[in-house]
mmCIF file of all heavy atoms in Angstrom:
data_model
loop_
_atom_site.group_PDB
_atom_site.id
_atom_site.type_symbol
_atom_site.label_atom_id
_atom_site.label_comp_id
_atom_site.label_asym_id
_atom_site.label_seq_id
_atom_site.Cartn_x
_atom_site.Cartn_y
_atom_site.Cartn_z
ATOM 1 N N ASP A 264 19.269 63.147 24.993
ATOM 2 C CA ASP A 264 19.362 64.563 24.822
ATOM 3 C C ASP A 264 19.116 65.179 26.244
ATOM 4 O O ASP A 264 17.990 64.868 26.849
ATOM 5 C CB ASP A 264 18.278 65.080 23.886
ATOM 6 C CG ASP A 264 18.561 64.639 22.397
ATOM 7 O OD1 ASP A 264 19.621 64.106 22.159
ATOM 8 O OD2 ASP A 264 17.720 64.910 21.544
ATOM 9 N N LYS A 277 13.227 64.838 24.826
ATOM 10 C CA LYS A 277 13.213 64.345 23.464
ATOM 11 C C LYS A 277 12.283 65.169 22.595
ATOM 12 O O LYS A 277 11.165 65.466 23.051
ATOM 13 C CB LYS A 277 12.695 62.900 23.505
ATOM 14 C CG LYS A 277 12.628 62.227 22.161
ATOM 15 C CD LYS A 277 14.052 61.861 21.646
ATOM 16 C CE LYS A 277 14.251 61.986 20.162
ATOM 17 N NZ LYS A 277 14.295 63.174 19.454
ATOM 18 N N TYR A 281 13.296 68.312 16.692
ATOM 19 C CA TYR A 281 14.096 69.152 17.524
ATOM 20 C C TYR A 281 13.264 70.105 18.441
ATOM 21 O O TYR A 281 13.869 70.899 19.162
ATOM 22 C CB TYR A 281 15.187 70.000 16.758
ATOM 23 C CG TYR A 281 16.311 69.075 16.290
ATOM 24 C CD1 TYR A 281 16.164 67.807 15.756
ATOM 25 C CD2 TYR A 281 17.634 69.578 16.287
ATOM 26 C CE1 TYR A 281 17.115 67.049 15.354
ATOM 27 C CE2 TYR A 281 18.705 68.832 15.848
ATOM 28 C CZ TYR A 281 18.481 67.521 15.345
ATOM 29 O OH TYR A 281 19.463 66.720 14.904
ATOM 30 N N SER A 320 23.640 73.708 24.554
ATOM 31 C CA SER A 320 25.055 74.068 24.656
ATOM 32 C C SER A 320 25.350 75.354 24.014
ATOM 33 O O SER A 320 26.447 75.945 24.165
ATOM 34 C CB SER A 320 25.876 72.960 24.001
ATOM 35 O OG SER A 320 25.283 72.845 22.675
ATOM 36 N N GLY A 351 28.531 71.725 23.031
ATOM 37 C CA GLY A 351 29.362 72.714 23.634
ATOM 38 C C GLY A 351 30.827 72.405 23.513
ATOM 39 O O GLY A 351 31.633 72.953 24.302
ATOM 40 N N GLY A 383 29.215 69.491 17.031
ATOM 41 C CA GLY A 383 28.163 69.879 16.086
ATOM 42 C C GLY A 383 28.460 71.198 15.378
ATOM 43 O O GLY A 383 29.119 71.237 14.332
ATOM 44 N N SER A 384 28.028 72.305 15.990
ATOM 45 C CA SER A 384 28.184 73.636 15.355
ATOM 46 C C SER A 384 29.594 73.950 14.951
ATOM 47 O O SER A 384 29.891 74.457 13.824
ATOM 48 C CB SER A 384 27.656 74.721 16.278
ATOM 49 O OG SER A 384 26.319 74.373 16.762
ATOM 50 N N SER A 419 28.796 65.538 14.977
ATOM 51 C CA SER A 419 27.327 65.349 15.012
ATOM 52 C C SER A 419 26.722 66.309 14.011
ATOM 53 O O SER A 419 26.955 67.495 13.940
ATOM 54 C CB SER A 419 26.825 65.784 16.452
ATOM 55 O OG SER A 419 25.456 65.790 16.425
ATOM 56 N N ASP A 421 23.444 67.870 11.966
ATOM 57 C CA ASP A 421 22.057 68.200 12.138
ATOM 58 C C ASP A 421 21.477 68.725 10.841
ATOM 59 O O ASP A 421 21.224 69.986 10.707
ATOM 60 C CB ASP A 421 21.846 69.194 13.239
ATOM 61 C CG ASP A 421 22.298 68.714 14.647
ATOM 62 O OD1 ASP A 421 22.010 67.590 14.973
ATOM 63 O OD2 ASP A 421 22.999 69.476 15.292
ATOM 64 N N ASP A 491 13.691 63.263 12.958
ATOM 65 C CA ASP A 491 13.829 63.251 14.417
ATOM 66 C C ASP A 491 12.463 63.126 15.070
ATOM 67 O O ASP A 491 11.554 63.888 14.831
ATOM 68 C CB ASP A 491 14.583 64.487 14.889
ATOM 69 C CG ASP A 491 14.656 64.586 16.414
ATOM 70 O OD1 ASP A 491 15.170 63.611 17.037
ATOM 71 O OD2 ASP A 491 14.172 65.580 17.028
ATOM 72 N N GLY A 492 12.328 62.056 15.930
ATOM 73 C CA GLY A 492 11.094 61.915 16.689
ATOM 74 C C GLY A 492 9.851 61.540 15.901
ATOM 75 O O GLY A 492 8.757 61.446 16.493
ATOM 76 N N SER A 517 18.007 59.231 14.055
ATOM 77 C CA SER A 517 16.737 59.950 13.812
ATOM 78 C C SER A 517 15.770 59.069 13.078
ATOM 79 O O SER A 517 15.962 58.709 11.962
ATOM 80 C CB SER A 517 16.988 61.276 13.056
ATOM 81 O OG SER A 517 17.840 62.114 13.722
ATOM 82 N N GLY A 518 14.599 58.904 13.721
ATOM 83 C CA GLY A 518 13.491 58.322 13.045
ATOM 84 C C GLY A 518 13.104 56.901 13.408
ATOM 85 O O GLY A 518 12.125 56.359 12.932
ATOM 86 N N ALA A 540 16.474 57.271 20.275
ATOM 87 C CA ALA A 540 16.265 57.919 21.540
ATOM 88 C C ALA A 540 14.825 57.662 21.973
ATOM 89 O O ALA A 540 14.630 56.858 22.940
ATOM 90 C CB ALA A 540 16.523 59.414 21.405
ATOM 91 N N GLY A 541 13.845 58.251 21.376
ATOM 92 C CA GLY A 541 12.479 58.223 21.827
ATOM 93 C C GLY A 541 11.899 56.838 22.101
ATOM 94 O O GLY A 541 11.304 56.547 23.139
HETATM 95 O O1 1PR B 9 26.383 72.401 18.357
HETATM 96 O O2 1PR B 9 28.334 71.212 19.130
HETATM 97 O O3 1PR B 9 26.983 72.509 20.713
HETATM 98 O O4 1PR B 9 26.163 70.423 19.746
HETATM 99 C C1 1PR B 9 24.778 70.419 20.031
HETATM 100 C C2 1PR B 9 24.335 69.034 19.982
HETATM 101 O O5 1PR B 9 22.928 68.957 20.535
HETATM 102 C C3 1PR B 9 24.213 68.412 18.621
HETATM 103 O O6 1PR B 9 24.755 67.071 18.653
HETATM 104 C C4 1PR B 9 22.810 68.432 18.245
HETATM 105 O O7 1PR B 9 22.524 67.304 17.495
HETATM 106 C C5 1PR B 9 22.116 68.327 19.618
HETATM 107 N N1 1PR B 9 20.812 69.027 19.721
HETATM 108 C C6 1PR B 9 20.649 70.341 19.794
HETATM 109 N N2 1PR B 9 19.352 70.613 19.817
HETATM 110 C C7 1PR B 9 18.647 69.451 19.800
HETATM 111 C C8 1PR B 9 17.213 69.268 19.894
HETATM 112 O O8 1PR B 9 16.746 68.187 19.789
HETATM 113 N N3 1PR B 9 16.534 70.348 20.098
HETATM 114 N N4 1PR B 9 19.337 67.155 19.662
HETATM 115 C C9 1PR B 9 19.626 68.446 19.705
HETATM 116 C C10 1PR B 9 19.564 66.435 18.620
HETATM 117 C C11 1PR B 9 18.815 64.508 17.798
HETATM 118 C C12 1PR B 9 19.315 63.164 18.125
HETATM 119 C C13 1PR B 9 18.213 62.348 18.522
HETATM 120 C C14 1PR B 9 17.911 61.479 17.316
HETATM 121 C C15 1PR B 9 17.137 60.211 17.629
HETATM 122 N N5 1PR B 9 18.868 65.353 18.876
HETATM 123 O O9 1PR B 9 20.356 63.192 18.991
HETATM 124 O O10 1PR B 9 18.575 61.663 19.684
HETATM 125 O O11 1PR B 9 17.334 62.280 16.372
HETATM 126 O O12 1PR B 9 15.875 60.537 17.964
HETATM 127 P P1 1PR B 9 14.671 59.590 17.749
HETATM 128 O O13 1PR B 9 15.200 58.200 17.765
HETATM 129 O O14 1PR B 9 13.703 59.824 18.811
HETATM 130 O O15 1PR B 9 14.091 59.903 16.355
HETATM 131 P P2 1PR B 9 26.975 71.721 19.524
#
Side-chain angles (χ1 to χ4, degrees):
D264 290 355
K277 183 68 211 77
Y281 286 38
S320 54
S384 306
S419 171
D421 298 314
D491 175 56
S517 303

